[in-house]
Amino acid sequence: MILALLLALSPAPKAQGKLVVLVVVDQLRYQDVLWLSPQFGPHGFAGLGEPRQLRYETVVTETAADHATLGTGAYADLNGIIGNRFWINGAPHDAVEDASCPIWGAPQLGKSAGALKVPTAGDAFKLGTNGAGRVISIAIKDRTALFLGGPSADLALWWEFETGEFASTSCYAKEAPAWLPKHPAEAFKDWVWKPMHESALASLVPEERAEAAIPHYDFGPAFPHPVGQGKLDKRLYLAIRNSPAGTTLALQAARAAVDGLNLGSNGSVDYLALGLSAVDGVGHMYGTHARERVDTILRMHEELGAFLDRLRARLGPRLSVVLTSDHGLTPMAADQKRLRVTQGGAVDLDQLIVRLDQALSDELGPRKWVESIDGSALSLKAPFPARAVELAADALRREPGIWKAIPTAQMDGADADAKHSVFPGRSGQVLIVMRPLWTLKKPTDGADHGSPWNDDALVPLFQQAPGYRFRNEPRFRATQVAPTISLLLGTAPPSAALDIPALERQ
């Protein structure tokens, strides 16, 4: 009787909380996890099991646009992020540019998620719980952190290569929190990047150096690569961003956030969005079939796996993880030629602009007609007659590597993937769609992406969420990620996320 009374008077045990983690690996192709699966072992990439297919139903497969889609559950026609850069009121803007949100340590710069036109899953979580849970977004790239977290996140952190520190803006917090590691670049001041699994690399990629690779930051054409050269400077900070060192530092910051904020263990539901972009930086320099890119993926598999194992041990069934990618990478023309694949190629962007200017000058009079071609958008130099748009589209259609050139004012009759890629006032005058295995790039660029084809648009989807399983669908859509995160957070999906979650209860 007394024991029963004491038990009745005892306070109920406090809920331990829960952590939902979304990991986005920049430029991880579905083919990458199939090709490298024997190297990952029986538990799969980062211990996340078997992948499913996820596809972007859009023409523009770029970092900003696709992270905005993952974050909001909507494509650019609703969320407004058509690419990494776009035009506003006749002037070019980076997608995250915002002078009203100055960066810690670099107040002359400003960045935010303000260009988003619809809320993210994190924003919906805040609205749905009256701010009860916490939203933390950490990435190497600013556009990743900002468009996954959204403007309402408690903190969005990225690697700021202007300062060599993880940074955010005054729109999230006045200064860096005490738990955030300081001066992390010092550990890589003298670091030389050598392959971690030489025998596996030699077997998978017999060629030590792929033809036509274009390394930057004084890396050199083949291993070993001097990422650090004894100085703490912008060259090092950019080199860190575009090497496996970026993975190490992003996970270091994520561990600090989990520990410093006690994520998942403070009685509430918390959301951590984590963006890893080393594969993208390395892939652009060296291409899909390079030892450097394979080494970067294998290192990420081990480092991310160790990070998630630590969370699994700490949180057990109170941890849910979803992992996907923002886009893939088209194999370089040199690799296609070497392997006797003859359908693709590369269009020289500089020469294409010359040809377009000449075609329009022949019909409308000599002048500079092309303002820019950025991503998949052609912008003409104002003022221009309406006929200039049709002339430009016709000239683009005659290019052997271009499949479609669609005036953005004529989207009503276009396919859904083209419509998904255009936002009024930001998309220029013509949307360019490359043919399969073709890229549009400058001669000094390396490998590239940006097409609607499977090389760029088909990526893996993983999940480990106790009590949930994948729906019985052969392929998932990028617009299902935000509703999936909302399902795991226990809230309704964001307002423009009209698709269904990729998961269902077991």
Side-chain angles (χ1 to χ4, degrees):
M1 184 71 175
I2 296 176
L3 178 60
L5 180 61
L6 289 174
L7 289 174
L9 294 174
S10 299
K14 187 178 180 180
Q16 292 180 294
K18 177 181 177 181
L19 178 60
V20 177
V21 179
L22 170 64
V23 182
V24 182
V25 178
D26 203 321
Q27 203 195 93
L28 185 67
R29 306 178 302 159
Y30 181 66
Q31 175 57 27
D32 290 329
V33 297
L34 297 182
W35 180 36
L36 300 177
S37 62
Q39 308 301 320
F40 300 148
H43 300 296
F45 181 73
L48 291 170
E50 292 293 321
R52 298 292 189 93
Q53 295 183 14
L54 180 142
R55 201 172 194 288
Y56 288 87
E57 297 171 332
T58 177
V59 167
V60 182
T61 45
E62 287 191 348
T63 299
D66 292 343
H67 279 90
T69 296
L70 294 174
T72 65
Y75 286 114
D77 55 335
L78 281 175
N79 70 45
I81 309 302
I82 66 156
N84 295 335
R85 291 161 296 275
F86 42 78
W87 293 75
I88 300 178
N89 298 324
H93 285 262
D94 188 275
V96 297
E97 181 181 341
D98 187 349
S100 68
C101 293
I103 296 172
W104 306 335
Q108 73 277 14
L109 301 173
K111 299 176 182 179
S112 81
L116 283 173
K117 295 297 184 181
V118 297
T120 65
D123 295 332
F125 180 48
K126 287 290 186 180
L127 287 171
T129 63
N130 197 28
R134 292 170 297 175
V135 175
I136 305 295
S137 182
I138 298 172
I140 290 297
K141 292 184 178 181
D142 47 19
R143 62 195 75 151
T144 300
L146 290 164
F147 293 146
L148 288 182
S152 71
D154 294 273
L155 192 59
L157 288 167
W158 60 87
W159 176 251
E160 184 54 61
F161 57 80
E162 294 291 344
T163 64
E165 303 283 350
F166 276 97
S168 189
T169 78
S170 60
C171 290
Y172 290 104
K174 292 182 179 180
E175 59 187 4
W179 51 260
L180 183 64
K182 306 296 191 296
H183 316 308
E186 289 184 353
F188 294 93
K189 186 177 68 172
D190 300 299
W191 184 56
V192 177
W193 176 17
K194 300 176 183 179
M196 180 174 284
H197 303 284
E198 291 193 70
S199 60
L201 293 185
S203 173
L204 292 162
V205 188
E207 303 81 9
E208 183 177 5
R209 171 69 277 124
E211 182 184 354
I214 304 177
H216 298 283
Y217 320 115
D218 302 322
F219 277 12
F223 282 122
H225 300 294
V227 173
Q229 297 183 5
K231 296 180 180 179
L232 292 171
D233 55 13
K234 187 173 178 179
R235 190 215 68 87
L236 173 63
Y237 305 149
L238 283 165
I240 285 173
R241 169 175 164 154
N242 292 283
S243 76
T247 300
T248 302
L249 294 192
L251 292 173
Q252 179 184 347
R255 282 192 297 271
V258 170
D259 293 342
L261 297 172
N262 204 25
L263 294 179
S265 299
N266 67 339
S268 65
V269 178
D270 295 321
Y271 174 36
L272 172 64
L274 176 60
L276 304 176
S277 61
V279 178
D280 185 67
V282 173
H284 278 296
M285 288 191 288
Y286 293 100
T288 55
H289 299 93
R291 291 182 176 183
E292 287 80 1
R293 190 171 181 275
V294 173
D295 185 67
T296 302
I297 294 173
L298 295 181
R299 285 171 177 268
M300 186 178 292
H301 155 68
E302 294 184 1
E303 290 190 68
L304 177 60
F307 171 76
L308 294 177
D309 280 345
R310 184 170 180 266
L311 290 182
R312 293 174 184 123
R314 178 173 182 162
L315 300 173
R318 296 185 289 115
L319 172 69
S320 295
V321 181
V322 174
L323 184 147
T324 190
S325 177
D326 58 341
H327 56 71
L329 185 69
T330 296
M332 291 193 300
D335 286 329
Q336 296 179 41
K337 180 180 178 181
R338 176 174 57 83
L339 296 168
R340 300 197 301 277
V341 177
T342 60
Q343 297 91 343
V347 176
D348 185 319
L349 178 58
D350 292 338
Q351 291 301 313
L352 175 62
I353 291 175
V354 170
R355 291 194 294 273
L356 285 175
D357 272 331
Q358 187 61 56
L360 270 66
S361 293
D362 289 345
E363 295 289 334
L364 302 174
R367 56 165 277 195
K368 174 69 174 174
W369 288 96
V370 177
E371 184 73 69
S372 70
I373 297 179
D374 198 339
S376 299
L378 165 69
S379 296
L380 296 175
K381 194 173 183 66
F384 55 85
R387 185 163 174 252
V389 177
E390 284 297 341
L391 288 170
D394 286 342
L396 287 167
R397 293 178 190 123
R398 292 193 293 271
E399 294 288 331
I402 294 178
W403 183 45
K404 292 182 180 180
I406 310 169
T408 55
Q410 300 175 16
M411 281 292 146
D412 287 347
D415 294 336
D417 59 351
K419 291 180 180 178
H420 289 160
S421 307
V422 171
F423 190 87
R426 295 184 176 182
S427 298
Q429 285 72 53
V430 181
L431 180 70
I432 301 170
V433 187
M434 303 304 293
R435 291 187 179 277
L437 291 176
W438 281 84
T439 56
L440 177 61
K441 62 183 184 178
K442 292 178 177 291
T444 54
D445 292 340
D448 209 352
H449 51 82
S451 79
W453 311 110
N454 284 340
D455 305 282
D456 295 347
L458 188 67
V459 299
L461 177 66
F462 296 87
Q463 69 87 18
Q464 277 186 353
Y468 292 90
R469 64 188 176 195
F470 279 120
R471 290 183 182 274
N472 187 23
E473 296 184 26
R475 178 181 292 172
F476 296 99
R477 299 167 294 281
T479 47
Q480 292 180 270
V481 172
T484 299
I485 295 301
S486 295
L487 174 69
L488 297 174
L489 291 171
T491 56
S495 58
L498 304 181
D499 213 331
I500 62 172
L503 305 183
E504 61 185 4
R505 291 191 178 276
Q506 289 182 334

PDB file of all heavy atoms in Angstrom, residues 206-223:
ATOM      1  N   PRO A 206      42.045   1.331 -62.665  1.00  0.00           N
ATOM      2  CA  PRO A 206      43.429   0.983 -63.028  1.00  0.00           C
ATOM      3  C   PRO A 206      44.242   2.169 -63.517  1.00  0.00           C
ATOM      4  O   PRO A 206      45.457   2.212 -63.320  1.00  0.00           O
ATOM      5  CB  PRO A 206      43.237  -0.052 -64.149  1.00  0.00           C
ATOM      6  CG  PRO A 206      41.869  -0.606 -63.936  1.00  0.00           C
ATOM      7  CD  PRO A 206      41.065   0.523 -63.385  1.00  0.00           C
ATOM      8  N   GLU A 207      43.586   3.158 -64.159  1.00  0.00           N
ATOM      9  CA  GLU A 207      44.302   4.321 -64.651  1.00  0.00           C
ATOM     10  C   GLU A 207      44.609   5.260 -63.492  1.00  0.00           C
ATOM     11  O   GLU A 207      43.700   5.722 -62.797  1.00  0.00           O
ATOM     12  CB  GLU A 207      43.480   5.073 -65.712  1.00  0.00           C
ATOM     13  CG  GLU A 207      43.059   4.220 -66.906  1.00  0.00           C
ATOM     14  CD  GLU A 207      41.839   3.376 -66.621  1.00  0.00           C
ATOM     15  OE1 GLU A 207      41.212   3.579 -65.565  1.00  0.00           O
ATOM     16  OE2 GLU A 207      41.527   2.487 -67.433  1.00  0.00           O
ATOM     17  N   GLU A 208      45.887   5.537 -63.284  1.00  0.00           N
ATOM     18  CA  GLU A 208      46.253   6.419 -62.180  1.00  0.00           C
ATOM     19  C   GLU A 208      45.696   7.814 -62.384  1.00  0.00           C
ATOM     20  O   GLU A 208      45.321   8.497 -61.437  1.00  0.00           O
ATOM     21  CB  GLU A 208      47.776   6.482 -62.037  1.00  0.00           C
ATOM     22  CG  GLU A 208      48.234   7.329 -60.846  1.00  0.00           C
ATOM     23  CD  GLU A 208      49.737   7.324 -60.683  1.00  0.00           C
ATOM     24  OE1 GLU A 208      50.423   6.735 -61.545  1.00  0.00           O
ATOM     25  OE2 GLU A 208      50.222   7.901 -59.702  1.00  0.00           O
ATOM     26  N   ARG A 209      45.646   8.267 -63.614  1.00  0.00           N
ATOM     27  CA  ARG A 209      45.138   9.601 -63.882  1.00  0.00           C
ATOM     28  C   ARG A 209      44.197   9.564 -65.077  1.00  0.00           C
ATOM     29  O   ARG A 209      44.590   9.150 -66.163  1.00  0.00           O
ATOM     30  CB  ARG A 209      46.280  10.566 -64.173  1.00  0.00           C
ATOM     31  CG  ARG A 209      45.903  11.946 -64.671  1.00  0.00           C
ATOM     32  CD  ARG A 209      45.220  12.822 -63.607  1.00  0.00           C
ATOM     33  NE  ARG A 209      43.801  12.543 -63.498  1.00  0.00           N
ATOM     34  CZ  ARG A 209      43.195  12.193 -62.382  1.00  0.00           C
ATOM     35  NH1 ARG A 209      43.867  12.062 -61.255  1.00  0.00           N
ATOM     36  NH2 ARG A 209      41.908  11.970 -62.376  1.00  0.00           N
ATOM     37  N   ALA A 210      42.951   9.970 -64.860  1.00  0.00           N
ATOM     38  CA  ALA A 210      41.989  10.021 -65.952  1.00  0.00           C
ATOM     39  C   ALA A 210      42.359  11.163 -66.902  1.00  0.00           C
ATOM     40  O   ALA A 210      42.811  12.220 -66.485  1.00  0.00           O
ATOM     41  CB  ALA A 210      40.576  10.240 -65.400  1.00  0.00           C
ATOM     42  N   GLU A 211      42.153  10.922 -68.198  1.00  0.00           N
ATOM     43  CA  GLU A 211      42.469  11.936 -69.198  1.00  0.00           C
ATOM     44  C   GLU A 211      41.598  13.179 -69.008  1.00  0.00           C
ATOM     45  O   GLU A 211      40.429  13.099 -68.653  1.00  0.00           O
ATOM     46  CB  GLU A 211      42.228  11.356 -70.591  1.00  0.00           C
ATOM     47  CG  GLU A 211      42.581  12.305 -71.730  1.00  0.00           C
ATOM     48  CD  GLU A 211      42.242  11.719 -73.088  1.00  0.00           C
ATOM     49  OE1 GLU A 211      41.851  10.528 -73.125  1.00  0.00           O
ATOM     50  OE2 GLU A 211      42.361  12.437 -74.077  1.00  0.00           O
ATOM     51  N   ALA A 212      42.197  14.337 -69.222  1.00  0.00           N
ATOM     52  CA  ALA A 212      41.493  15.626 -69.244  1.00  0.00           C
ATOM     53  C   ALA A 212      40.935  16.057 -67.896  1.00  0.00           C
ATOM     54  O   ALA A 212      40.055  16.885 -67.820  1.00  0.00           O
ATOM     55  CB  ALA A 212      40.363  15.610 -70.279  1.00  0.00           C
ATOM     56  N   ALA A 213      41.412  15.473 -66.815  1.00  0.00           N
ATOM     57  CA  ALA A 213      41.013  15.971 -65.502  1.00  0.00           C
ATOM     58  C   ALA A 213      41.606  17.365 -65.297  1.00  0.00           C
ATOM     59  O   ALA A 213      42.692  17.676 -65.789  1.00  0.00           O
ATOM     60  CB  ALA A 213      41.511  15.033 -64.415  1.00  0.00           C
ATOM     61  N   ILE A 214      40.888  18.221 -64.581  1.00  0.00           N
ATOM     62  CA  ILE A 214      41.316  19.605 -64.394  1.00  0.00           C
ATOM     63  C   ILE A 214      41.378  19.907 -62.895  1.00  0.00           C
ATOM     64  O   ILE A 214      40.420  20.410 -62.309  1.00  0.00           O
ATOM     65  CB  ILE A 214      40.363  20.574 -65.110  1.00  0.00           C
ATOM     66  CG1 ILE A 214      40.263  20.193 -66.600  1.00  0.00           C
ATOM     67  CG2 ILE A 214      40.861  22.005 -64.977  1.00  0.00           C
ATOM     68  CD1 ILE A 214      39.313  21.031 -67.390  1.00  0.00           C
ATOM     69  N   PRO A 215      42.479  19.562 -62.233  1.00  0.00           N
ATOM     70  CA  PRO A 215      42.593  19.858 -60.802  1.00  0.00           C
ATOM     71  C   PRO A 215      42.819  21.340 -60.544  1.00  0.00           C
ATOM     72  O   PRO A 215      43.327  22.066 -61.403  1.00  0.00           O
ATOM     73  CB  PRO A 215      43.800  19.026 -60.378  1.00  0.00           C
ATOM     74  CG  PRO A 215      44.623  18.919 -61.621  1.00  0.00           C
ATOM     75  CD  PRO A 215      43.656  18.880 -62.759  1.00  0.00           C
ATOM     76  N   HIS A 216      42.439  21.782 -59.376  1.00  0.00           N
ATOM     77  CA  HIS A 216      42.617  23.173 -58.955  1.00  0.00           C
ATOM     78  C   HIS A 216      43.374  23.197 -57.624  1.00  0.00           C
ATOM     79  O   HIS A 216      43.717  22.166 -57.071  1.00  0.00           O
ATOM     80  CB  HIS A 216      41.266  23.869 -58.817  1.00  0.00           C
ATOM     81  CG  HIS A 216      40.498  23.933 -60.103  1.00  0.00           C
ATOM     82  ND1 HIS A 216      40.792  24.831 -61.099  1.00  0.00           N
ATOM     83  CD2 HIS A 216      39.451  23.203 -60.556  1.00  0.00           C
ATOM     84  CE1 HIS A 216      39.949  24.665 -62.111  1.00  0.00           C
ATOM     85  NE2 HIS A 216      39.126  23.680 -61.801  1.00  0.00           N
ATOM     86  N   TYR A 217      43.626  24.421 -57.137  1.00  0.00           N
ATOM     87  CA  TYR A 217      44.223  24.646 -55.812  1.00  0.00           C
ATOM     88  C   TYR A 217      45.604  24.017 -55.681  1.00  0.00           C
ATOM     89  O   TYR A 217      46.016  23.619 -54.589  1.00  0.00           O
ATOM     90  CB  TYR A 217      43.290  24.139 -54.692  1.00  0.00           C
ATOM     91  CG  TYR A 217      41.844  24.434 -54.964  1.00  0.00           C
ATOM     92  CD1 TYR A 217      40.930  23.408 -55.174  1.00  0.00           C
ATOM     93  CD2 TYR A 217      41.393  25.752 -55.060  1.00  0.00           C
ATOM     94  CE1 TYR A 217      39.602  23.688 -55.461  1.00  0.00           C
ATOM     95  CE2 TYR A 217      40.063  26.032 -55.354  1.00  0.00           C
ATOM     96  CZ  TYR A 217      39.183  24.995 -55.551  1.00  0.00           C
ATOM     97  OH  TYR A 217      37.869  25.258 -55.843  1.00  0.00           O
ATOM     98  N   ASP A 218      46.309  23.885 -56.816  1.00  0.00           N
ATOM     99  CA  ASP A 218      47.666  23.312 -56.823  1.00  0.00           C
ATOM    100  C   ASP A 218      47.676  21.871 -56.330  1.00  0.00           C
ATOM    101  O   ASP A 218      48.670  21.418 -55.747  1.00  0.00           O
ATOM    102  CB  ASP A 218      48.619  24.165 -55.964  1.00  0.00           C
ATOM    103  CG  ASP A 218      48.684  25.607 -56.441  1.00  0.00           C
ATOM    104  OD1 ASP A 218      48.659  25.813 -57.670  1.00  0.00           O
ATOM    105  OD2 ASP A 218      48.752  26.502 -55.595  1.00  0.00           O
ATOM    106  N   PHE A 219      46.599  21.136 -56.571  1.00  0.00           N
ATOM    107  CA  PHE A 219      46.545  19.741 -56.143  1.00  0.00           C
ATOM    108  C   PHE A 219      47.463  18.852 -56.968  1.00  0.00           C
ATOM    109  O   PHE A 219      47.932  17.828 -56.484  1.00  0.00           O
ATOM    110  CB  PHE A 219      45.112  19.204 -56.255  1.00  0.00           C
ATOM    111  CG  PHE A 219      44.232  19.526 -55.077  1.00  0.00           C
ATOM    112  CD1 PHE A 219      44.620  20.441 -54.113  1.00  0.00           C
ATOM    113  CD2 PHE A 219      43.010  18.906 -54.943  1.00  0.00           C
ATOM    114  CE1 PHE A 219      43.800  20.733 -53.038  1.00  0.00           C
ATOM    115  CE2 PHE A 219      42.180  19.188 -53.873  1.00  0.00           C
ATOM    116  CZ  PHE A 219      42.587  20.106 -52.918  1.00  0.00           C
ATOM    117  N   GLY A 220      47.678  19.195 -58.220  1.00  0.00           N
ATOM    118  CA  GLY A 220      48.415  18.321 -59.102  1.00  0.00           C
ATOM    119  C   GLY A 220      47.514  17.266 -59.720  1.00  0.00           C
ATOM    120  O   GLY A 220      46.403  17.032 -59.251  1.00  0.00           O
ATOM    121  N   PRO A 221      47.976  16.607 -60.781  1.00  0.00           N
ATOM    122  CA  PRO A 221      47.118  15.682 -61.540  1.00  0.00           C
ATOM    123  C   PRO A 221      46.906  14.318 -60.904  1.00  0.00           C
ATOM    124  O   PRO A 221      45.977  13.611 -61.267  1.00  0.00           O
ATOM    125  CB  PRO A 221      47.855  15.549 -62.878  1.00  0.00           C
ATOM    126  CG  PRO A 221      49.284  15.779 -62.530  1.00  0.00           C
ATOM    127  CD  PRO A 221      49.286  16.796 -61.428  1.00  0.00           C
ATOM    128  N   ALA A 222      47.770  13.893 -59.979  1.00  0.00           N
ATOM    129  CA  ALA A 222      47.650  12.543 -59.414  1.00  0.00           C
ATOM    130  C   ALA A 222      48.124  12.538 -57.968  1.00  0.00           C
ATOM    131  O   ALA A 222      48.808  13.459 -57.515  1.00  0.00           O
ATOM    132  CB  ALA A 222      48.474  11.550 -60.241  1.00  0.00           C
ATOM    133  N   PHE A 223      47.743  11.487 -57.243  1.00  0.00           N
ATOM    134  CA  PHE A 223      48.175  11.340 -55.852  1.00  0.00           C
ATOM    135  C   PHE A 223      49.701  11.316 -55.765  1.00  0.00           C
ATOM    136  O   PHE A 223      50.371  10.801 -56.669  1.00  0.00           O
ATOM    137  CB  PHE A 223      47.630  10.033 -55.263  1.00  0.00           C
ATOM    138  CG  PHE A 223      46.188  10.070 -54.851  1.00  0.00           C
ATOM    139  CD1 PHE A 223      45.274   9.174 -55.405  1.00  0.00           C
ATOM    140  CD2 PHE A 223      45.742  10.971 -53.905  1.00  0.00           C
ATOM    141  CE1 PHE A 223      43.943   9.183 -55.016  1.00  0.00           C
ATOM    142  CE2 PHE A 223      44.412  10.993 -53.506  1.00  0.00           C
ATOM    143  CZ  PHE A 223      43.517  10.090 -54.070  1.00  0.00           C
TER     144      PHE A 223
END
